[in-house]
Amino acid sequence: MSLASLYRNVTLAIADAPLVESAVRRYGWRMGVGRFVAGEDIAAAVPALLALQASGRKAILDLLGEFVATEEAARAVAANIVGCVRVAHENGVEPYFSVKPTQLGLGVSEELAAELADLVAGAVAAAGGRVCLDMENVPYVDGTLALYARLRRAGHHHVSTVLQSYLHRTPDDLERLVALAAEDQGVTELRLVKGAYRESPENAIQDVAGVVEAYRRLAYRALDGGLKLNIATHDEALQRELLAYAQGARLGPERYEVQMLYGVRPQLQERLSAQGHPVRVYVPFGSDWYGYFSRRLAERPANLAFVARGLLG
Ligand code: FDA
């Protein structure tokens, strides 16, 4: 296991401890949550969303929340997302939403998640937007891909999903998505990420170079398979290689897009956008920021120093 993977696994394990969670939840905004989260609700996030749009970048809206344990809570989240679609629409923000299947109840039952995802997808379609089903940890990968296929077959062609290059299973999952796209109308988009969760060696590649190499192979296969590739990484070398390929093959914005996270490498986002590449920024908002914030800290040791400075300063 590489040092980077070790750091990530240890940080994510510590974040699971209830004492750590309650302390971080208490002091979160002082610790710098606001660098990665645009506000406690969509109204607070609207200025950041409009500023991104004005700068030529697009946004992915993410109402934070995950691993919802009851039907009642999942229904409340779905209603909240539908409310956010309305607020986005009223404020002139493109309603491109990401949702986590477990916030729609995938951990409660597949039927519940399907019903609520259909509701959210319908509301987003009515506002002229798009939906992406985020990919969570291994226990939910099958359920998420089944949910995705079900929504597409029900006519929700504006719904896409995510694959993680660190999983050993992903090349097979990608072949299934390419086959599904071939039976479908229009271009199917796919967000490709390295993967943000703590996974075992049985399920996931543990060394950084292996994850990057898998990413490259999957990216070329997705493009060859006719998918629109959403290059969701801050890894400049990977971006450079794939963007050069896209330019060489004269691919337009209907075939590729760079996707990056709010608060991560903003100057790089601006530079890529100024160079004429389509850039979309994932903008999370909401009060349930703990899991998301822990994953961002686990991605980069320097972020822990940033948090410590926030606490001390
Ligand atoms: P890598 O970690 O190699 O970072 C490259 C460079 O980017 C670093 O050297 C650093 O400069 C900078 N950087 C990266 N992360 C940073 C951070 N947190 N803070 C500050 N600087 C940072 N994962 C998942 O499992 N399911 C999902 O649905 C999604 N969705 C998603 C959407 C979008 C738009 C993005 C960009 C990412 C995701 N991810 C995700 C997260 C993804 O799996 C991965 O954990 C992060 O993107 C970090 O990996 P990178 O590929 O960016 O490179």
Side-chain angles (χ1 to χ4, degrees):
M1 186 184 288
S2 64
L3 259 184
S5 305
L6 185 67
Y7 166 76
R8 198 167 63 110
N9 285 350
V10 169
T11 310
L12 291 175
I14 292 171
D16 278 345
L19 261 179
V20 174
E21 177 167 349
S22 66
V24 175
R25 280 191 184 278
R26 187 146 170 222
Y27 297 109
W29 290 92
R30 229 175 102 187
M31 291 166 82
V33 169
R35 173 176 163 194
F36 300 108
V37 175
E40 286 268 17
D41 56 24
I42 186 159
V46 163
L49 293 162
L50 291 176
L52 273 175
Q53 282 186 183
S55 77
R57 286 166 286 170
K58 293 182 171 175
I60 303 169
L61 286 73
D62 170 46
L63 173 65
L64 289 163
E66 53 195 322
F67 306 122
V68 158
T70 65
E71 176 175 345
E72 196 188 3
R75 288 191 185 282
V77 171
N80 200 349
I81 297 174
V82 169
C84 292
V85 176
R86 199 189 55 247
V87 174
H89 192 59
E90 285 167 3
N91 283 279
V93 172
E94 182 194 1
Y96 186 126
F97 276 78
S98 241
V99 294
K100 291 204 166 21
T102 65
Q103 72 181 157
L104 297 179
L106 188 59
V108 180
S109 86
E110 292 202 357
E111 280 312 308
L112 176 66
E115 179 198 328
L116 297 180
D118 180 69
L119 178 82
V120 167
V124 171
R130 305 187 69 79
V131 177
C132 180
L133 299 178
D134 279 358
M135 192 56 78
E136 301 175 85
N137 53 347
V138 158
Y140 301 105
V141 174
D142 277 329
T144 299
L145 292 174
L147 180 62
Y148 167 74
R150 187 166 168 169
L151 289 166
R152 300 278 303 192
R153 290 196 170 115
H156 290 303
H157 299 291
H158 62 303
V159 174
S160 61
T161 192
V162 180
L163 289 179
Q164 299 154 320
S165 77
Y166 66 5
L167 293 187
H168 300 309
R169 58 175 288 169
T170 297
D172 294 336
D173 290 335
L174 177 58
E175 290 312 318
R176 279 189 283 275
L177 285 198
V178 168
L180 194 64
E183 354 167 327
D184 229 339
Q185 318 163 348
V187 176
T188 298
E189 57 181 314
L190 168 70
R191 182 196 304 160
L192 187 60
V193 301
K194 289 181 185 168
Y197 296 83
R198 184 159 55 105
E199 302 291 4
S200 68
E202 289 72 50
N203 289 319
I205 304 169
Q206 303 290 316
D207 70 295
V208 172
V211 175
V212 172
E213 188 43 37
Y215 194 108
R216 295 180 62 253
R217 267 187 271 118
L218 292 161
Y220 287 118
R221 174 63 190 125
L223 288 168
D224 287 348
L227 304 184
K228 173 183 175 185
L229 180 65
N230 293 332
I231 305 165
T233 177
H234 313 92
D235 183 329
E236 236 179 310
L238 259 182
Q239 285 177 342
R240 219 177 294 122
E241 175 179 338
L242 294 169
L243 293 178
Y245 176 87
Q247 274 185 324
R250 298 187 181 285
L251 301 182
E254 72 293 344
R255 287 299 312 284
Y256 82 100
E257 181 170 284
V258 180
Q259 297 191 342
M260 295 170 73
L261 301 177
Y262 179 76
V264 178
R265 309 197 78 176
Q267 282 112 352
L268 179 58
Q269 298 175 11
E270 282 169 24
R271 198 164 72 232
L272 292 172
S273 175
Q275 287 167 358
H277 296 295
V279 175
R280 197 180 282 279
V281 181
Y282 186 103
V283 182
F285 55 86
S287 53
D288 196 359
W289 44 259
Y290 184 73
Y292 182 85
F293 184 55
S294 326
R295 290 192 289 278
R296 300 298 75 82
L297 296 188
E299 277 155 6
R300 195 162 175 251
N303 288 349
L304 272 188
F306 161 79
V307 161
R309 275 201 304 277
L311 269 181
L312 297 172

